[in-house]
Amino acid sequence: MQSANMLLRKIVGSSVLPFAAQHGMKKDLFPLSRTLSLSLCLKQDKSCEPSEKLDLDEWKKVMKSRLQEEVSETVSEPKELSSLAAARETLEMWRLAGRAVPEKISEDQLKTFMECPSKSAKKKYLKYLHIKELYKKNDKRKMDEKRERRLEAQDEASKTDETKKSSFVCLWTSTMDKAYNWRAAQSMIFGQPLVFDMSYEKEMSVREVTNTVRQLVLSESCNRRSVDPFHIHFCNFKDDSLYQREFIKHYREAWDKLLITVTDQCYTEIFPKDKLIYLTADSPKVMKTFDHDKIYIVGSMVDKSIKTGVSLARAKRLGLETAALPLEKYLLWSTGAKNLTLDQMMHILLTLKDTADWKKALEFVPKRKYCGFVNKPVKDLKKTLDLINTLKLGKAREEVEKKFAKNYPKKYRLKQK
Amino acid sequence: VQPPEKPLQAEEWNKLREDFQLPEIFEEVMLNSMIRCNSPIDVAKSLLTHVAKRNGDVAYNVLVKYLTLCVQQGQVSEIRDVYDIMKVRFKILEDGAYNLLIKGLSNSDQWRMALTLLEEIKKITIPSRTCYESCIKAASRHQEMKLAFELYNEMMAKGVVPTLDVLQSFFHFSRGVNGAELQKELFGILLYLRENQIYPHKTLMRSIKLWFESIPGGNWRGRLTKIKDSGQCPVCNHQLEDSNLTEEEYSNLSESLIRDVIHGTDTFRKTSPKEFEAFQTFVESRLPFDIVIDGLNVSHIKSRKMQCENLFDAVNCLAKENARLLVLGRKHMLMNSSNWKREIMKEMQNKADFFFAENISEDDAFLLYATLRSGKHCKFVTRDFLRDHKACLSDSVRRHLFRKWQRGHQISKKKCFSSVFSQQPAFRYDCVVQTTGDTWHIPYKDVFEEKHSYQVPRKWLCIQQK
């Protein structure tokens, strides 16, 4: 779009203007005469200024003569803008100034933008839209490329025209789905329950709820695909909540056919209290083994603003047992918060349930958050740490030690020198 | 990219552009480096001419870049030209361009145009504080103090926080000017500093001093000084305001502490209702305390020593003064362990009252509650800066109250703790701008940035009327 505009301007600007002034012609030049006039123009310039002196303010003349044209075109436009149109105008200017602003913006988005309480909130929101737009564009491009490649492949396939022979019919996704659903249905009767506590809507912003639901959708699908799925419970689930609306956005009609239990009851009403364990990173207790007779609760909350102790408070209020994953026991933690996403939790719990192998289960913790596993004996651990320390220079050594000491008090503390 | 030194011909620009890896952004990159090197304006003009000739148009971002260069060099006529072009070409401008235009024009004799531009911004959005700053400075430079104050009051009403530079320009340009109205406004600024616990930097302090001394017939005299620990000014022997809160402030603070810090959104996050109730009855039955000690914090003072020994030393040292002590701790301290010896704990409990919270509860909140509940004389001991608790308070007024109270009541350096505590002892006087009518005392800082919110300046400006 923009390049087309530029081209148009190029035509209009560079060729017409010198002439337009002299001959009173405007715009009705034939495209053919463009090259001609341009070369003429250049020649004129040179002949006029033999001393090769530059007219430094020429760009102003160009701009101003352009202006006259445009002004005569835009005269009929109404002067006062509605606030919405003004906001759109501002955005357009920001885009021209090269800020992170989406090219297209819907009416709703514009309204959200105007309702942002501060300038920085506005900037943040626009950046978010901008990045979203970029992703979408990229996806679309990739899809197109893929389609092209597929068409090419089809062409070639039709040329060779070979029929494959196989004793099995190709397993289509619908067949797989049936198998998965059968398993999930079985888990609803015999499976170990896993509770997602859906009582955090008030603690979250709209975007955090959206992210939560997305993570839940991911967790549900990986549960369904596992060998021995959990029986998922969404407890404290209110009808017509933001959660529900988001779920319906994701699942559409399938929402009512999901093989999970959704209830507005609290988990304490459904299960005996002594069987419940609330999983929270703030818990002082560390989980040692996965217990197949217990019912684990995961808080459905994405917490971008570090509200510590919210889920622990829930468990405390109801007098439930709590537990945290033994992240520090098994991983040499480096950066990031200890709270994991819901789908990571799901992967970890599923793996634990199948294998009871912490190392395997904690593979699902994002790699950027830890340096390595500490399932080796402490002596080995010390060796690797010493190695790290010698690699890092002077100050860094102290820092590593400090970090280590913070994460692993007393027991594994390094000797001083 | 190195910008050329002289204006170039179109062909030469073309060549440069083609040699550049990303021809689309060549102009932007080139102008950026021109801004950085502060190249002559003619070079930039020749580039624009080249662009205009090639495209028949100059893009908005390129214009803004050029404008930046003009503003940087104070080329007023160019700024006007660019503005004229922009105004007709675009319906509205974006704030970056407005900021530049206002900054550029306010420094020239066409500064009134900056004011019209400011009006234009107001139609779209709230002007930034740099816009206001430029306009106010321009107005006061031209001795239009009334206009400057109008703008100042307007920005305050809009919730735009002024920079200290703006305040400085008020004092600077009011020097030697007579007028009751003006004096009232300037005193208003000093009171604004007081209310928001803002400490002027050295330059602003100097302007304030000179302004006072220049008031015709005022006979003011300013001297720089340091206030004694007793709170007495060595220059005028005046006793500064003491750091105690008023009754109203005190009750306001304790109420919001209970509401925002202890209960917050959910009482269970920091404690539990049952535990808090138990704590309340415990405190009420033994009131009032003189010193409340954060047991766990104090026990970590010396890492070489056993934790309970550290606490024991602190309790012993504070108990000598016949004070009623309350030590707050957690239940795990009662378990006999390598760090917590049962006998020592027993001995301490004879000298002080102890309250042990659950291991997962936050004892700091209890510390604050017990101290506030005991009354104004009560102090507390911890090395913690309590920033997280301050952050829980709902508004800045309460946060200021909290800091003031904290300064007056937190002990963190005592002889018996040797050199471990690096923070200052509890302040007896309040560290804010203050006046008695014929004296002003203004704390100021040497550096522009103050690093920590708990730190207060030690240097003062004493202004006295003879």
Side-chain angles (χ1 to χ4, degrees):
Chain A
M1 181 61 197
Q2 218 190 351
S3 61
N5 254 341
M6 288 292 241
L7 197 69
L8 205 71
R9 277 175 195 163
K10 206 171 178 172
I11 298 167
V12 176
S14 59
S15 62
V16 177
L17 292 171
F19 276 85
Q22 289 167 17
H23 307 285
M25 290 194 288
K26 240 186 199 179
K27 273 192 184 170
D28 30 5
L29 276 180
F30 300 106
L32 256 178
S33 64
R34 176 164 64 99
T35 43
L36 187 73
S37 63
L38 190 68
S39 55
L40 247 174
C41 193
L42 280 174
K43 262 184 204 163
Q44 263 185 347
D45 272 356
K46 277 200 176 150
S47 59
C48 286
E49 293 160 338
S51 61
E52 279 209 313
K53 204 172 175 305
L54 269 168
D55 180 6
L56 289 172
D57 286 333
E58 195 171 338
W59 66 275
K60 288 183 197 162
K61 282 180 216 154
V62 175
M63 291 297 282
K64 276 179 189 159
S65 48
R66 261 185 59 74
L67 297 175
Q68 282 159 8
E69 258 175 80
E70 279 187 13
V71 167
S72 58
E73 283 166 26
T74 53
V75 153
S76 57
E77 265 184 49
K79 260 204 159 177
E80 280 302 304
L81 290 163
S82 73
S83 61
L84 226 72
R88 206 174 268 279
E89 201 74 23
T90 320
L91 284 191
E92 177 60 20
M93 291 317 287
W94 284 4
R95 206 174 60 77
L96 285 181
R99 292 213 217 163
V101 169
E103 276 178 31
K104 285 176 207 135
I105 188 163
S106 72
E107 203 93 315
D108 282 345
Q109 286 169 337
L110 205 60
K111 269 181 197 148
T112 324
F113 163 73
M114 281 160 68
E115 279 158 16
C116 286
S118 65
K119 275 185 188 173
S120 60
K122 281 181 180 173
K123 268 186 210 163
K124 237 184 200 165
Y125 181 64
L126 286 178
K127 195 174 174 195
Y128 159 72
L129 289 180
H130 176 68
I131 288 172
K132 212 169 123 185
E133 197 180 45
L134 281 183
Y135 274 124
K136 241 184 187 166
K137 258 191 202 161
N138 261 341
D139 282 350
K140 200 170 172 287
R141 191 176 46 84
K142 275 181 200 158
M143 285 268 275
D144 287 344
E145 279 171 13
K146 214 175 172 184
R147 188 182 305 131
E148 238 162 67
R149 248 179 284 142
R150 202 176 52 218
L151 284 177
E152 269 172 34
Q154 264 177 9
D155 275 352
E156 262 172 44
S158 61
K159 272 175 206 161
T160 50
D161 198 27
E162 223 176 76
T163 45
K164 289 170 202 158
K165 277 179 191 168
S166 156
S167 57
F168 290 109
V169 192
C170 187
L171 260 186
W172 295 108
T173 42
S174 61
T175 327
M176 290 302 286
D177 278 347
K178 257 179 216 160
Y180 289 144
N181 279 338
W182 188 79
R183 246 188 238 154
Q186 231 184 3
S187 83
M188 282 192 71
I189 309 169
F190 304 112
Q192 181 180 6
L194 176 72
V195 177
F196 284 97
D197 180 2
M198 314 290 277
S199 62
Y200 294 98
E201 201 172 299
K202 268 192 213 144
E203 261 92 3
M204 289 188 281
S205 67
V206 178
R207 248 169 83 187
E208 282 170 338
V209 175
T210 323
N211 292 350
T212 309
V213 168
R214 185 192 234 131
Q215 291 179 10
L216 283 171
V217 170
L218 286 174
S219 331
E220 189 272 326
S221 83
C222 88
N223 180 55
R224 199 184 335 142
R225 272 153 230 268
S226 71
V227 188
D228 181 17
F230 282 106
H231 176 193
I232 295 182
H233 285 71
F234 286 170
C235 290
N236 293 321
F237 193 92
K238 302 275 174 302
D239 264 342
D240 212 34
S241 57
L242 201 51
Y243 277 125
Q244 195 188 25
R245 265 175 278 154
E246 285 295 327
F247 269 120
I248 288 172
K249 249 190 224 169
H250 272 280
Y251 281 113
R252 310 242 169 91
E253 305 86 61
W255 171 240
D256 291 323
K257 293 176 204 151
L258 277 186
L259 292 168
I260 57 174
T261 304
V262 179
T263 168
D264 61 349
Q265 281 180 304
C266 186
Y267 27 85
T268 46
E269 296 168 51
I270 307 174
F271 304 107
K273 252 190 187 180
D274 55 327
K275 285 212 160 185
L276 292 170
I277 296 181
Y278 211 118
L279 293 176
T280 161
D282 296 323
S283 171
K285 274 185 205 145
V286 172
M287 199 168 155
K288 286 211 176 72
T289 49
F290 182 86
D291 192 335
H292 295 267
D293 294 327
K294 296 277 186 192
I295 295 148
Y296 290 96
I297 309 168
V298 180
S300 305
M301 178 181 177
V302 168
D303 173 16
K304 289 195 174 171
S305 54
I306 318 171
K307 303 178 198 86
T308 30
V310 176
S311 53
L312 187 64
R314 291 274 197 289
K316 254 163 120 187
R317 182 195 300 278
L318 298 167
L320 298 178
E321 207 181 308
T322 59
L325 291 181
L327 297 176
E328 288 185 347
K329 193 176 158 199
Y330 290 98
L331 302 175
L332 198 52
W333 201 262
S334 67
T335 52
K338 301 252 166 57
N339 48 359
L340 304 175
T341 63
L342 300 172
D343 49 314
Q344 285 159 10
M345 276 311 275
M346 187 55 128
H347 276 297
I348 290 171
L349 290 174
L350 279 171
T351 321
L352 280 180
K353 189 169 147 196
D354 290 345
T355 64
D357 182 348
W358 278 106
K359 187 169 187 282
K360 239 185 193 170
L362 295 181
E363 289 279 350
F364 291 101
V365 177
K367 297 276 180 295
R368 64 171 189 280
K369 287 194 176 185
Y370 62 93
C371 320
F373 278 89
V374 282
N375 54 351
K376 304 170 215 165
V378 179
K379 214 171 72 189
D380 285 1
L381 179 76
K382 220 156 63 179
K383 245 187 232 165
T384 36
L385 252 159
D386 277 340
L387 190 70
I388 294 172
N389 290 343
T390 42
L391 287 176
K392 291 185 179 175
L393 293 168
K395 259 187 210 167
R397 182 195 154 93
E398 274 169 36
E399 235 163 70
V400 170
E401 261 173 32
K402 238 190 232 165
K403 202 180 247 174
F404 185 72
K406 209 175 81 196
N407 286 345
Y408 306 90
K410 292 175 290 195
K411 267 186 264 169
Y412 316 112
R413 184 147 309 160
L414 300 175
K415 250 189 251 161
Q416 298 284 326
K417 267 149 210 174
Chain B
V1 220
Q2 193 64 32
E5 279 161 21
K6 277 184 212 145
L8 299 186
Q9 293 288 347
E11 297 85 51
E12 291 167 297
W13 279 123
N14 252 334
K15 192 172 175 315
L16 274 181
R17 188 173 192 264
E18 273 152 27
D19 291 344
F20 192 67
Q21 320 137 332
L22 291 162
E24 308 88 67
I25 57 163
F26 170 72
E27 286 86 18
E28 260 182 82
V29 176
M30 183 50 88
L31 276 166
N32 273 342
S33 69
M34 283 184 196
I35 293 167
R36 203 171 44 245
C37 307
N38 204 11
S39 304
I41 201 124
D42 284 349
V43 183
K45 274 183 180 178
S46 80
L47 177 61
L48 285 196
T49 305
H50 159 68
V51 173
K53 268 192 189 164
R54 202 185 61 233
N55 298 338
D57 191 17
V58 181
Y60 181 77
N61 55 349
V62 176
L63 276 180
V64 173
K65 291 259 152 69
Y66 176 65
L67 187 61
T68 316
L69 191 66
C70 296
V71 171
Q72 193 170 301
Q73 303 182 356
Q75 306 271 359
V76 183
S77 68
E78 279 303 306
I79 295 171
R80 294 247 6 204
D81 281 353
V82 175
Y83 175 58
D84 286 339
I85 288 171
M86 280 182 161
K87 200 170 64 178
V88 196
R89 180 80 180 70
F90 305 99
K91 262 187 229 150
I92 53 170
L93 304 184
E94 127 294 352
D95 30 354
Y98 276 129
N99 279 348
L100 281 169
L101 285 169
I102 287 185
K103 194 174 164 206
L105 291 170
S106 64
N107 280 325
S108 72
D109 49 355
Q110 309 206 16
W111 63 276
R112 276 184 196 279
M113 230 187 102
L115 297 180
T116 41
L117 277 171
L118 190 71
E119 290 302 314
E120 223 170 284
I121 305 178
K122 276 187 228 157
K123 282 181 207 156
I124 321 168
T125 172
I126 299 173
S128 67
R129 71 181 195 169
T130 47
C131 286
Y132 273 116
E133 182 180 332
S134 308
C135 289
I136 290 175
K137 273 188 182 168
S140 40
R141 196 179 306 122
H142 293 86
Q143 291 299 321
E144 299 247 6
M145 295 317 285
K146 200 163 167 248
L147 176 66
F149 273 109
E150 261 168 38
L151 287 171
Y152 172 72
N153 291 328
E154 183 186 302
M155 80 188 272
M156 294 299 253
K158 284 187 172 154
V160 183
V161 182
T163 56
L164 291 186
D165 280 9
V166 170
L167 307 183
Q168 198 235 326
S169 81
F170 279 126
F171 285 101
H172 184 79
F173 292 108
S174 304
R175 209 176 289 168
V177 184
N178 215 343
E181 190 66 21
L182 179 71
Q183 260 186 43
K184 215 180 111 199
E185 290 277 15
L186 288 169
F187 284 145
I189 292 181
L190 291 176
L191 290 180
Y192 166 77
L193 293 180
R194 174 190 168 83
E195 266 150 37
N196 293 286
Q197 296 192 13
I198 298 169
Y199 306 116
H201 50 66
K202 225 174 184 170
T203 339
L204 173 53
M205 178 277 296
R206 219 170 267 142
S207 292
I208 295 173
K209 177 171 178 280
L210 289 175
W211 173 72
F212 266 107
E213 286 169 347
S214 78
I215 298 175
N219 279 329
W220 291 94
R221 181 158 162 66
R223 301 251 313 260
L224 306 185
T225 178
K226 274 184 186 168
I227 303 293
K228 292 176 195 163
D229 277 346
S230 62
Q232 203 182 34
C233 170
V235 179
C236 60
N237 293 326
H238 176 72
Q239 184 70 30
L240 293 193
E241 284 174 43
D242 76 274
S243 61
N244 284 333
L245 308 185
T246 64
E247 283 304 324
E248 196 190 337
E249 287 173 332
Y250 201 83
S251 63
N252 184 349
L253 182 64
S254 26
E255 263 169 44
S256 46
L257 259 171
I258 293 175
R259 193 185 58 228
D260 298 335
V261 178
I262 295 175
H263 292 308
T265 51
D266 189 348
T267 316
F268 283 96
R269 277 175 75 173
K270 287 193 177 153
T271 165
S272 69
K274 205 172 142 201
E275 190 185 26
F276 185 56
E277 209 173 288
F279 178 65
Q280 271 180 316
T281 30
F282 170 84
V283 170
E284 298 300 326
S285 66
R286 289 158 208 239
L287 278 177
F289 300 103
D290 296 318
I291 298 172
V292 183
I293 302 166
D294 183 347
L296 279 173
N297 188 293
V298 168
S299 71
H300 283 93
I301 285 179
K302 283 182 186 162
S303 53
R304 298 266 166 78
K305 267 191 171 174
M306 219 194 293
Q307 285 170 14
C308 63
E309 275 182 339
N310 274 328
L311 184 59
F312 189 63
D313 288 349
V315 169
N316 268 341
C317 159
L318 294 165
K320 268 178 204 154
E321 293 156 24
N322 209 9
R324 285 181 58 82
L325 302 182
L326 167 64
V327 180
L328 290 168
R330 294 215 181 98
K331 288 214 166 123
H332 72 78
M333 290 158 73
L334 288 170
M335 311 280 277
N336 201 11
S337 67
S338 59
N339 260 319
W340 298 98
K341 290 273 171 270
R342 190 163 282 158
E343 307 84 63
I344 302 181
M345 288 303 287
K346 276 244 170 73
E347 207 179 328
M348 270 193 279
Q349 286 181 50
N350 294 328
K351 296 186 174 175
D353 280 317
F354 273 74
F355 183 84
F356 297 100
E358 291 295 329
N359 291 340
I360 50 172
S361 295
E362 283 219 25
D363 47 358
D364 289 349
F366 291 158
L367 174 86
L368 296 176
Y369 176 80
T371 317
L372 276 167
R373 200 60 200 87
S374 296
K376 284 181 180 173
H377 72 287
C378 182
K379 303 225 174 356
F380 63 98
V381 185
T382 178
R383 281 186 303 174
D384 200 304
F385 296 125
L386 306 171
R387 293 190 188 99
D388 45 345
H389 302 292
K390 189 189 81 160
C392 289
L393 295 170
S394 53
D395 57 55
S396 65
V397 177
R398 292 203 173 86
R399 285 196 279 264
H400 285 317
L401 278 184
F402 182 78
R403 272 285 178 248
K404 183 177 170 186
W405 174 76
Q406 189 189 359
R407 275 202 295 275
H409 294 82
Q410 180 166 12
I411 308 172
S412 41
K413 194 176 177 181
K414 270 257 165 188
K415 272 184 196 134
C416 62
F417 300 151
S418 62
S419 62
V420 192
F421 281 126
S422 56
Q423 224 192 328
Q424 56 247 111
F427 265 70
R428 279 201 214 157
Y429 57 94
D430 190 15
C431 194
V432 285
V433 175
Q434 44 193 282
T435 180
T436 56
D438 58 351
T439 62
W440 280 87
H441 285 91
I442 299 167
Y444 68 94
K445 50 192 183 185
D446 268 331
V447 278
F448 279 85
E449 284 299 318
E450 201 184 327
K451 276 266 178 341
H452 306 290
S453 67
Y454 62 85
Q455 282 179 339
V456 286
R458 312 304 300 266
K459 294 185 174 176
W460 289 71
L461 167 67
C462 160
I463 302 171
Q464 207 183 351
Q465 197 166 28
K466 292 251 165 77

